Amino acid sequence: LGGCFFFCSSVSHRFIAKPCALGLKVQANGPQKAQPNAILEKVFTAITKHPDEKRLEGLSKQLDWDVRSIQRWFRQRRNQEKPSTLTKFCESMWRFTFYLYIFTYGVRFLKKTPWLWNTRQCWNGYPYQPLMPDLHYYYIVELSFYWSLMFSQFIDIKRKDFGIMFTHHIVAVILLTFSYVTNLTRVGTLTLCLHDVADIVLEAAKMANYCKCQKLSDLLFFTFAIVFIVSRLGIYPLWILNTTLFELYEALGNFPALWVFNVLLVILQILHWFWSYLIIKAAYKAISKGKVAKDDRSDIESSSDEEETVPRSKTLHSPITTNGTSGANGTNGYLTGGTCSEEH
């Protein structure tokens, strides 16, 4: 099923998300390309994407560019590998569609179960609890999606919290697999449904941001912040951790799977604390500056010298670089229009 998600994602991007994005006038262009330069390109691809001060000085003498212009070139070249706004919109639309579907499915399934209203029912008759077809489908779809996220993260949009997200996906896959094998699926369904609700709002906020609907994006971001903090820092420990740490022990006593399961759930809670810190930090910046600030995971590097468009040669009379490339250079941003604030 993991492969099916890759296929569905590709089909969704091309035939659904992309036409919607173009209809909403989402920019199809990516960051400004760095001007062609054989010497700098060789250093970038073969040696380092982040040259140190000593190497910058050497390149400055070799090319007759000042250090600041070379730094700008490397920054633009790194940004050149980032995806376009259109690509990011398509990714968010696919995830929004999935989270909305699976959350709706989860709510419809759980409202008919006794353990939604009484978590002690999660342990009634354990481990001899029948695996209902709806529960099996719910688990398999969620597990397949997280498997696809774990592998697609290497080819999708790279963000600064790659390590944290990869850790989250590994914990999620292990937790789903372990709970399925040990038949701890009832509480697992509660955990899945609780986690999906905030992701719906987050992906909607991203899409609004890419469409440059700033007020709607800000509203959705604050809604996401509230939903995330309430669900992950409030309901999750008081509802999920309470039943796995205390009610499960009272009902069944001590057994090895209990400790493994709870360790994984606590790791998940630690990740919730970390992300809540980032969300609160972004919300504080939004209140202080009057709009949602860039996320710490921003995809595009920025600089205070963005307004300069031409590499400044050390010799003012020479507009041509020593390797014959043109002196025209773009700003560090998008090709047209003002820069759009990065995803929340």
Side-chain angles (χ1 to χ4, degrees), residues 71-326:
Q71 288 175 324
R72 187 184 309 109
W73 188 95
F74 274 92
R75 184 166 51 252
Q76 290 180 333
R77 184 62 182 83
R78 290 192 296 268
N79 286 339
Q80 186 176 319
E81 298 184 343
K82 305 296 182 180
S84 67
T85 305
L86 177 63
T87 301
K88 292 188 286 187
F89 178 92
C90 291
E91 179 190 281
S92 290
M93 187 170 182
W94 157 244
R95 295 190 180 187
F96 171 81
T97 304
F98 173 80
Y99 286 130
L100 182 61
Y101 163 74
I102 202 65
F103 175 73
T104 303
Y105 179 89
V107 170
R108 291 182 61 187
F109 166 69
L110 286 171
K111 70 179 182 180
K112 299 180 292 185
T113 63
W115 60 85
L116 174 63
W117 315 108
N118 181 9
T119 53
R120 291 183 181 273
Q121 290 293 324
C122 291
W123 323 118
N124 186 26
Y126 181 85
Y128 305 105
Q129 296 171 340
L131 183 63
M132 295 177 287
D134 290 345
L135 191 153
H136 172 75
Y137 172 80
Y138 190 22
Y139 245 74
I140 292 300
V141 171
E142 288 273 21
L143 181 59
S144 302
F145 181 71
Y146 277 107
W147 268 112
S148 70
L149 287 183
M150 189 163 66
F151 287 111
S152 66
Q153 193 174 15
F154 293 98
I155 59 175
D156 282 344
I157 300 166
K158 298 295 189 299
R159 297 186 174 92
K160 293 181 181 180
D161 66 345
F162 174 86
I164 298 294
M165 286 302 299
F166 188 65
T167 302
H168 172 268
H169 296 333
I170 290 177
V171 172
V173 168
I174 294 175
L175 193 54
L176 281 165
T177 305
F178 182 81
S179 61
Y180 185 86
V181 170
T182 57
N183 207 24
L184 295 166
T185 51
R186 291 187 176 183
V187 73
T189 58
L190 299 178
T191 306
L192 288 170
C193 192
L194 184 64
H195 279 70
D196 289 335
V197 60
D199 291 325
I200 297 171
V201 188
L202 174 61
E203 299 302 334
K206 289 180 183 180
M207 289 191 293
N209 183 40
Y210 300 145
C211 294
K212 296 186 177 180
C213 301
Q214 194 60 46
K215 291 184 178 180
L216 176 60
S217 178
D218 291 349
L219 177 62
L220 288 170
F221 173 74
F222 284 116
T223 303
F224 159 74
I226 294 170
V227 172
F228 186 95
I229 292 171
V230 170
S231 62
R232 309 288 179 95
L233 300 188
I235 300 175
Y236 179 79
L238 295 177
W239 194 37
I240 303 298
L241 291 182
N242 176 68
T243 190
T244 59
L245 287 171
F246 304 108
E247 294 178 353
L248 174 56
Y249 183 81
E250 292 174 5
L252 302 171
N254 189 14
F255 60 101
L258 180 150
W259 297 105
V260 176
F261 192 53
N262 279 310
V263 166
L264 293 171
L265 291 173
V266 169
I267 292 174
L268 208 56
Q269 180 63 67
I270 294 172
L271 294 176
H272 295 165
W273 290 335
F274 173 77
W275 280 313
S276 296
Y277 162 75
L278 295 181
I279 292 168
I280 293 171
K281 183 179 177 181
Y284 174 77
K285 288 182 179 179
I287 294 172
S288 61
K289 295 182 180 180
K291 64 178 181 179
V292 173
K294 287 185 178 182
D295 187 0
D296 288 336
R297 304 186 303 162
S298 177
D299 296 315
I300 303 300
E301 299 179 53
S302 61
S303 171
S304 59
D305 60 3
E306 286 178 346
E307 70 278 2
E308 299 186 38
T309 58
V310 180
R312 295 179 296 174
S313 174
K314 287 183 176 179
T315 53
L316 298 177
H317 62 276
S318 176
I320 307 298
T321 61
T322 56
N323 71 335
T325 56
S326 169

